[in-house]
Amino acid sequence: MGSFFIDLLSFGHEVAVFEKDVKRMRFTYNCQRFTTMEEIKEFRPELCINCVTLKYTIVAFDEVLSHLPQECILSDISSVKTDLKEYYENCGHRYVSTHPMFGPTFANLNQLSEENAIIISEGDYMGRCFFKDVYSKLGLNIYEYTFEEHDRTVAYSLSIPFVSTFSFAAVMKPQDAPGTTFKRHMRIARGVCSEDDYLLQEILFNPYTYDQVSLIRDELKELMDIIDHKDASRMRTYINKIRANVKAQK
């Protein structure tokens, strides 16, 4: 996503990227490439977008903070905002926090009109306006949430499919002639398993995740009971319920 933002912003703004591993900057272009904090200090950025792995988001901010001008706005794109609100409130800088609800794993980055982005409403006004403009030009559907509302949304929209995929992958056996549905689930499973371990952990350890996972447990319990009793009437009712849920989903 860091490379995505470089490409996105570099044609309308002066952009620089800082990366400790020089090889990871090999295919970046139309930007300045920094390997030392002194270069950042001389560049005097107006906006610092933190795109590191979730585990190191606050660590990266701590490392760079003293090299940024006071007027620089801090920004992150983290999937889970736990601890970030408190950090921002005590860092002494203006901030804007957003979450592009897509990534290279599944999204078509050339066609994002069906994708969403969240902008945290508690951030700096000008910072929010900047990202609203950027995301609008991509055709993204934009929503403004508080930090708490964001993490509740993530607990619903990410933990439920992640846990469902984990369950599928945990009981999966090699198939010589897999069906279409199985192959589609496999593609999703491979995508989820390619995500960073810490990201998966933090999404599942989100304070609001447990209640969402409990819903899956309750539904499985009901479904097992229907199967156990071979209750055709309840099965029809259950299938109609889930069809209605799918139909109601945007």
Side-chain angles (χ1 to χ4, degrees), residues 1-11 15-35 51:
M1 288 301 289
S3 296
F4 172 74
F5 274 97
I6 292 171
D7 292 345
L8 180 63
L9 299 175
S10 62
F11 292 98
V15 174
V17 56
F18 172 77
E19 172 60 63
K20 292 180 178 179
D21 183 355
V22 179
K23 293 181 180 178
R24 297 189 66 180
M25 296 191 289
R26 186 180 301 163
F27 301 110
T28 58
Y29 65 98
N30 205 28
C31 68
Q32 297 185 51
R33 295 183 277 191
F34 297 159
T35 57
C51 297

Side-chain angles (χ1 to χ4, degrees), residues 175-244:
Q175 296 288 319
D176 292 328
T180 302
T181 303
F182 185 93
K183 288 190 286 186
R184 287 178 177 174
H185 277 280
M186 266 302 300
R187 283 197 292 271
I188 294 173
R190 288 195 177 101
V192 170
C193 290
S194 70
E195 297 284 3
D196 176 74
D197 287 359
Y198 191 81
L199 170 64
L200 296 174
Q201 172 185 299
E202 287 304 293
I203 288 171
L204 294 181
F205 289 174
N206 180 328
Y208 306 106
T209 291
Y210 182 85
D211 289 343
Q212 299 297 336
V213 176
S214 295
L215 295 176
I216 298 177
R217 180 188 59 194
D218 295 341
E219 289 297 324
L220 285 173
K221 190 175 180 180
E222 181 182 354
L223 188 56
M224 286 296 295
D225 190 64
I226 294 172
I227 294 170
D228 189 43
H229 290 88
K230 294 182 173 58
D231 192 327
S233 177
R234 284 176 64 198
M235 180 60 80
R236 281 195 299 273
T237 301
Y238 192 84
I239 291 173
N240 287 335
K241 180 183 77 171
I242 63 175
R243 281 176 175 156

